[in-house]
PDB file of all heavy atoms in Angstrom:
ATOM      1  N   GLU T 113      42.702  -4.395 -18.587  1.00 91.00           N
ATOM      2  CA  GLU T 113      42.813  -3.013 -18.248  1.00 91.00           C
ATOM      3  C   GLU T 113      43.176  -2.775 -16.767  1.00 91.00           C
ATOM      4  O   GLU T 113      43.948  -1.923 -16.410  1.00 91.00           O
ATOM      5  CB  GLU T 113      41.481  -2.285 -18.576  1.00 91.00           C
ATOM      6  CG  GLU T 113      41.287  -2.120 -20.133  1.00 91.00           C
ATOM      7  CD  GLU T 113      40.087  -1.219 -20.393  1.00 91.00           C
ATOM      8  OE1 GLU T 113      39.548  -0.567 -19.426  1.00 91.00           O
ATOM      9  OE2 GLU T 113      39.729  -1.102 -21.545  1.00 91.00           O
ATOM     10  N   SER T 114      42.555  -3.643 -15.897  1.00 92.00           N
ATOM     11  CA  SER T 114      42.767  -3.523 -14.461  1.00 92.00           C
ATOM     12  C   SER T 114      44.218  -3.854 -14.117  1.00 92.00           C
ATOM     13  O   SER T 114      44.914  -3.175 -13.362  1.00 92.00           O
ATOM     14  CB  SER T 114      41.799  -4.405 -13.692  1.00 92.00           C
ATOM     15  OG  SER T 114      41.911  -4.218 -12.314  1.00 92.00           O
ATOM     16  N   ILE T 115      44.733  -5.013 -14.669  1.00 93.00           N
ATOM     17  CA  ILE T 115      46.066  -5.428 -14.307  1.00 93.00           C
ATOM     18  C   ILE T 115      47.109  -4.496 -14.930  1.00 93.00           C
ATOM     19  O   ILE T 115      48.262  -4.409 -14.416  1.00 93.00           O
ATOM     20  CB  ILE T 115      46.365  -6.881 -14.670  1.00 93.00           C
ATOM     21  CG1 ILE T 115      46.292  -7.110 -16.151  1.00 93.00           C
ATOM     22  CG2 ILE T 115      45.369  -7.771 -13.899  1.00 93.00           C
ATOM     23  CD1 ILE T 115      46.558  -8.535 -16.599  1.00 93.00           C
ATOM     24  N   ALA T 116      46.736  -3.758 -16.002  1.00 93.00           N
ATOM     25  CA  ALA T 116      47.663  -2.834 -16.610  1.00 93.00           C
ATOM     26  C   ALA T 116      47.722  -1.536 -15.837  1.00 93.00           C
ATOM     27  O   ALA T 116      48.724  -0.822 -15.874  1.00 93.00           O
ATOM     28  CB  ALA T 116      47.246  -2.598 -18.050  1.00 93.00           C
ATOM     29  N   ALA T 117      46.619  -1.228 -15.094  1.00 90.00           N
ATOM     30  CA  ALA T 117      46.480   0.105 -14.480  1.00 90.00           C
ATOM     31  C   ALA T 117      47.012   0.088 -13.004  1.00 90.00           C
ATOM     32  O   ALA T 117      47.239   1.173 -12.419  1.00 90.00           O
ATOM     33  CB  ALA T 117      45.051   0.529 -14.465  1.00 90.00           C
ATOM     34  N   HIS T 118      47.316  -1.100 -12.440  1.00 92.00           N
ATOM     35  CA  HIS T 118      47.634  -1.088 -11.027  1.00 92.00           C
ATOM     36  C   HIS T 118      48.854  -1.981 -10.824  1.00 92.00           C
ATOM     37  O   HIS T 118      49.114  -2.964 -11.554  1.00 92.00           O
ATOM     38  CB  HIS T 118      46.513  -1.684 -10.228  1.00 92.00           C
ATOM     39  CG  HIS T 118      45.231  -0.852 -10.333  1.00 92.00           C
ATOM     40  ND1 HIS T 118      45.029   0.352  -9.738  1.00 92.00           N
ATOM     41  CD2 HIS T 118      44.142  -1.111 -11.074  1.00 92.00           C
ATOM     42  CE1 HIS T 118      43.809   0.791 -10.059  1.00 92.00           C
ATOM     43  NE2 HIS T 118      43.252  -0.043 -10.862  1.00 92.00           N
ATOM     44  N   ASP T 119      49.684  -1.665  -9.778  1.00 94.00           N
ATOM     45  CA  ASP T 119      50.808  -2.516  -9.471  1.00 94.00           C
ATOM     46  C   ASP T 119      50.433  -3.991  -9.105  1.00 94.00           C
ATOM     47  O   ASP T 119      51.023  -4.974  -9.578  1.00 94.00           O
ATOM     48  CB  ASP T 119      51.603  -1.921  -8.285  1.00 94.00           C
ATOM     49  CG  ASP T 119      52.217  -0.631  -8.561  1.00 94.00           C
ATOM     50  OD1 ASP T 119      52.505  -0.315  -9.765  1.00 94.00           O
ATOM     51  OD2 ASP T 119      52.527   0.128  -7.623  1.00 94.00           O
ATOM     52  N   ILE T 120      49.376  -3.999  -8.279  1.00 95.00           N
ATOM     53  CA  ILE T 120      48.916  -5.356  -7.723  1.00 95.00           C
ATOM     54  C   ILE T 120      47.444  -5.405  -7.928  1.00 95.00           C
ATOM     55  O   ILE T 120      46.719  -4.483  -7.532  1.00 95.00           O
ATOM     56  CB  ILE T 120      49.275  -5.531  -6.257  1.00 95.00           C
ATOM     57  CG1 ILE T 120      50.821  -5.366  -6.085  1.00 95.00           C
ATOM     58  CG2 ILE T 120      48.717  -6.845  -5.716  1.00 95.00           C
ATOM     59  CD1 ILE T 120      51.234  -5.133  -4.648  1.00 95.00           C
ATOM     60  N   VAL T 121      46.922  -6.442  -8.482  1.00 95.00           N
ATOM     61  CA  VAL T 121      45.422  -6.674  -8.599  1.00 95.00           C
ATOM     62  C   VAL T 121      45.083  -8.032  -7.968  1.00 95.00           C
ATOM     63  O   VAL T 121      45.764  -9.016  -8.309  1.00 95.00           O
ATOM     64  CB  VAL T 121      44.915  -6.578 -10.009  1.00 95.00           C
ATOM     65  CG1 VAL T 121      43.396  -6.823 -10.051  1.00 95.00           C
ATOM     66  CG2 VAL T 121      45.280  -5.257 -10.647  1.00 95.00           C
ATOM     67  N   ILE T 122      44.124  -8.032  -7.106  1.00 96.00           N
ATOM     68  CA  ILE T 122      43.656  -9.266  -6.416  1.00 96.00           C
ATOM     69  C   ILE T 122      42.200  -9.466  -6.858  1.00 96.00           C
ATOM     70  O   ILE T 122      41.313  -8.699  -6.504  1.00 96.00           O
ATOM     71  CB  ILE T 122      43.812  -9.228  -4.895  1.00 96.00           C
ATOM     72  CG1 ILE T 122      45.185  -8.979  -4.491  1.00 96.00           C
ATOM     73  CG2 ILE T 122      43.313 -10.558  -4.288  1.00 96.00           C
ATOM     74  CD1 ILE T 122      45.379  -8.745  -3.011  1.00 96.00           C
ATOM     75  N   PHE T 123      41.953 -10.584  -7.569  1.00 96.00           N
ATOM     76  CA  PHE T 123      40.544 -10.954  -7.853  1.00 96.00           C
ATOM     77  C   PHE T 123      40.152 -12.080  -6.822  1.00 96.00           C
ATOM     78  O   PHE T 123      40.860 -13.128  -6.803  1.00 96.00           O
ATOM     79  CB  PHE T 123      40.414 -11.577  -9.282  1.00 96.00           C
ATOM     80  CG  PHE T 123      40.743 -10.604 -10.364  1.00 96.00           C
ATOM     81  CD1 PHE T 123      42.025 -10.462 -10.892  1.00 96.00           C
ATOM     82  CD2 PHE T 123      39.793  -9.787 -10.905  1.00 96.00           C
ATOM     83  CE1 PHE T 123      42.347  -9.552 -11.917  1.00 96.00           C
ATOM     84  CE2 PHE T 123      40.025  -8.829 -11.894  1.00 96.00           C
ATOM     85  CZ  PHE T 123      41.310  -8.726 -12.399  1.00 96.00           C
ATOM     86  N   GLY T 124      39.198 -11.793  -5.992  1.00 94.00           N
ATOM     87  CA  GLY T 124      38.876 -12.734  -4.928  1.00 94.00           C
ATOM     88  C   GLY T 124      37.430 -12.712  -4.603  1.00 94.00           C
ATOM     89  O   GLY T 124      36.596 -12.281  -5.345  1.00 94.00           O
ATOM     90  N   LYS T 125      37.127 -13.170  -3.377  1.00 92.00           N
ATOM     91  CA  LYS T 125      35.782 -13.188  -2.829  1.00 92.00           C
ATOM     92  C   LYS T 125      35.792 -12.566  -1.437  1.00 92.00           C
ATOM     93  O   LYS T 125      36.754 -12.844  -0.678  1.00 92.00           O
ATOM     94  CB  LYS T 125      35.209 -14.611  -2.784  1.00 92.00           C
ATOM     95  CG  LYS T 125      34.799 -15.113  -4.189  1.00 92.00           C
ATOM     96  CD  LYS T 125      34.160 -16.479  -4.030  1.00 92.00           C
ATOM     97  CE  LYS T 125      33.703 -17.067  -5.384  1.00 92.00           C
ATOM     98  NZ  LYS T 125      33.050 -18.385  -5.298  1.00 92.00           N
ATOM     99  N   SER T 126      34.755 -11.845  -1.090  1.00 88.00           N
ATOM    100  CA  SER T 126      34.752 -11.150   0.192  1.00 88.00           C
ATOM    101  C   SER T 126      34.593 -12.123   1.376  1.00 88.00           C
ATOM    102  O   SER T 126      34.954 -11.875   2.515  1.00 88.00           O
ATOM    103  CB  SER T 126      33.614 -10.111   0.249  1.00 88.00           C
ATOM    104  OG  SER T 126      32.382 -10.725   0.096  1.00 88.00           O
TER     105      SER T 126
END
Side-chain angles (χ1 to χ4, degrees):
E113 288 190 7
S114 186
I115 63 177
H118 303 281
D119 293 338
I120 301 163
V121 180
I122 302 172
F123 296 92
K125 288 185 176 179
S126 62

